């Protein structure tokens, strides 16, 4: 953590992120200057920025395999190894229609979810592990402010989110959510909260979501995945034990890796009780 005061900060994003993913907080560097691209240009103005790929010069690319946005947009075609949110940098692909329309089955629509509450009462919220923040953009188009947590797992997710004109929050699922009790109207998470997280940590996370939601606030658990009997024996009871009221609970098969794995999806809309929330 040594650095020259009033000089440049070390370029070690990869190491710092490994610490964050383990729930550790890298020591703050309070007296050095982080690097920026020498050819930096300002982002597109709103609303154009919401659905436009930003300039390559908005990112310092040293920590990533891809060295420009064209590589990220096309990496699904040239995929080799693990990448988080494989096709989400392609704003003209699947991102363009995500959460739009009436939905159906496991796919809830934004307007459907907002319709569970009085108009205008869902105003501020959080998207946990929100990729490139398309959920936040979709909600912004409906006058709802969403902060998006995202890590930079082999891609400049936080820079991309900021360039779109919505707010990124660089924390991992291992960290306590930096919001006061009973404050947010809605919390959403797609795929991130699933069976890859140790059960105790998942329990902590769901309780933390309950903590920051105001009474009457909504928790949208979007495509939680697990294996067969885990939903009935482990995760269903775990979620129910926290104290939410079920507004919608849909279970379906996850078949993208084949039926033999017996994987399941759960999409649920849960409400923190308006009264008796302890």
């Amino acid at each position: 953590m040594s650095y020259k005061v009033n000089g440049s900060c070390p370029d070690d994003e990869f190491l710092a992120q490994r610490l964050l993913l383990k729930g550790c907080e890298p020591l703050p560097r309070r007296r050095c200057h982080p690097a920026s691209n020498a050819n930096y240009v300002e982002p597109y103005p709103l609303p154009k920025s919401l659905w436009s790929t930003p300039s390559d010069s908005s990112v310092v690319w040293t920590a990533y395999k891809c060295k420009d946005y064209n590589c990220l947009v096309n990496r699904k075609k040239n995929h080799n190894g693990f990448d988080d949110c494989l096709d989400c940098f392609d704003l003209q692909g699947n991102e363009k229609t995500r959460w739009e329309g009436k939905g159906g089955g496991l796919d809830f629509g934004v307007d459907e979810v907002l319709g569970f509450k009085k108009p205008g009462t869902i105003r501020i919220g959080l998207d946990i592990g929100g990729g490139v923040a398309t959920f936040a953009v979709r909600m912004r188009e409906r006058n709802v402010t969403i902060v998006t947590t995202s890590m930079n797992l082999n891609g400049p997710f936080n820079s991309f989110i900021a360039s779109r004109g919505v707010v990124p929050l660089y924390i991992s699922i291992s960290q306590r959510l930096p919001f006061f009790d009973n404050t947010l109207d809605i919390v959403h998470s797609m795929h991130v909260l699933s069976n890859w997280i140790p059960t105790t940590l998942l329990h902590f996370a769901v309780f933390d979501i309950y903590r920051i939601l105001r009474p009457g606030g909504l928790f949208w658990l979007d495509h939680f995945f697990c294996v067969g009997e885990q939903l009935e024996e482990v995760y269903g009871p775990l979620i129910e034990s926290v104290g939410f009221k079920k507004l919608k609970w849909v279970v379906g098969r996850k078949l993208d890796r084949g039926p033999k794995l017996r994987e399941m999806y759960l999409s649920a809309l849960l409400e923190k009780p308006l009264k008796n929330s302890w």
Side-chain angles (χ1 to χ4, degrees):
M1 298 300 294
S2 61
Y3 61 92
K4 183 179 178 181
V5 173
N6 208 34
S8 297
C9 299
D11 184 5
D12 57 0
E13 179 188 338
F14 182 73
L15 174 60
Q17 183 162 263
R18 287 179 64 188
L19 291 170
L20 286 170
L21 288 170
K22 295 294 185 181
C24 302
E25 183 66 36
L27 292 173
R29 298 191 181 98
R30 303 189 180 201
R31 296 184 293 171
C32 64
H33 303 288
S36 60
N37 196 303
N39 299 312
Y40 184 85
V41 295
E42 292 189 331
Y44 293 115
L46 286 166
K48 181 179 179 180
S49 64
L50 296 175
W51 292 103
S52 298
T53 301
S55 167
D56 293 335
S57 67
S58 62
V59 177
V60 176
W61 294 92
T62 53
Y64 314 118
K65 291 180 182 177
C66 281
K67 303 304 179 185
D68 56 48
Y69 278 122
N70 184 62
C71 172
L72 289 170
V73 168
N74 292 291
R75 69 178 177 178
K76 188 173 182 179
K77 304 173 187 175
N78 309 312
H79 185 234
N80 182 19
F82 171 80
D83 285 300
D84 186 50
C85 198
L86 189 60
D87 62 348
C88 62
F89 285 95
D90 183 5
L91 297 183
Q92 303 309 310
N94 292 333
E95 295 297 298
K96 195 68 176 177
T97 57
R98 203 182 295 280
W99 299 295
E100 281 286 79
K102 296 181 179 179
L106 293 159
D107 300 314
F108 303 171
V110 164
D111 292 323
E112 174 193 7
V113 169
L114 293 178
F116 277 86
K117 306 297 288 186
K118 293 179 181 179
T121 59
I122 301 297
R123 308 149 301 146
I124 55 173
L126 173 69
D127 189 17
I128 298 174
V132 295
T134 293
F135 179 79
V137 168
R138 197 70 73 201
M139 295 293 267
R140 182 189 176 102
E141 293 170 338
R142 290 157 175 82
N143 296 317
V144 180
T145 299
I146 299 291
V147 174
T148 303
T149 78
S150 191
M151 300 299 290
N152 293 332
L153 296 176
N154 203 21
F157 286 88
N158 282 266
S159 297
F160 192 87
I161 291 168
S163 293
R164 295 185 79 177
V166 287
V167 181
L169 187 62
Y170 186 53
I171 62 171
S172 77
I173 194 63
S174 300
Q175 296 167 277
R176 189 173 189 267
L177 296 170
F179 299 94
F180 192 64
D181 304 354
N182 303 315
T183 51
L184 301 186
D185 300 317
I186 188 169
V187 174
H188 171 267
S189 185
M190 184 174 185
H191 293 311
V192 172
L193 297 179
S194 289
N195 72 343
W196 67 273
I197 300 175
T199 304
T200 301
L201 178 57
L202 181 63
H203 208 189
F204 288 165
V206 178
F207 262 108
D208 210 23
I209 290 167
Y210 188 98
R211 177 185 65 79
I212 65 175
L213 280 171
R214 64 165 174 84
L218 299 178
F219 174 29
W220 180 355
L221 184 60
D222 196 348
H223 286 74
F224 176 100
F225 62 84
C226 60
V227 176
E229 63 279 1
Q230 288 182 331
L231 185 58
E232 184 176 343
E233 296 176 3
V234 180
Y235 298 114
L238 182 152
I239 295 166
E240 292 172 354
S241 72
V242 176
F244 288 105
K245 174 185 176 183
K246 292 181 182 179
L247 300 181
K248 192 169 183 179
W249 185 279
V250 180
V251 176
R253 299 184 69 189
K254 181 178 182 291
L255 298 171
D256 57 309
R257 299 199 300 168
K260 291 184 179 180
L261 294 178
R262 299 180 297 109
E263 292 181 315
M264 304 294 292
Y265 273 134
L266 166 67
S267 286
L269 186 63
L270 309 169
E271 183 183 51
K272 182 172 178 176
L274 194 59
K275 298 181 180 180
N276 299 321
S277 295
W278 293 275

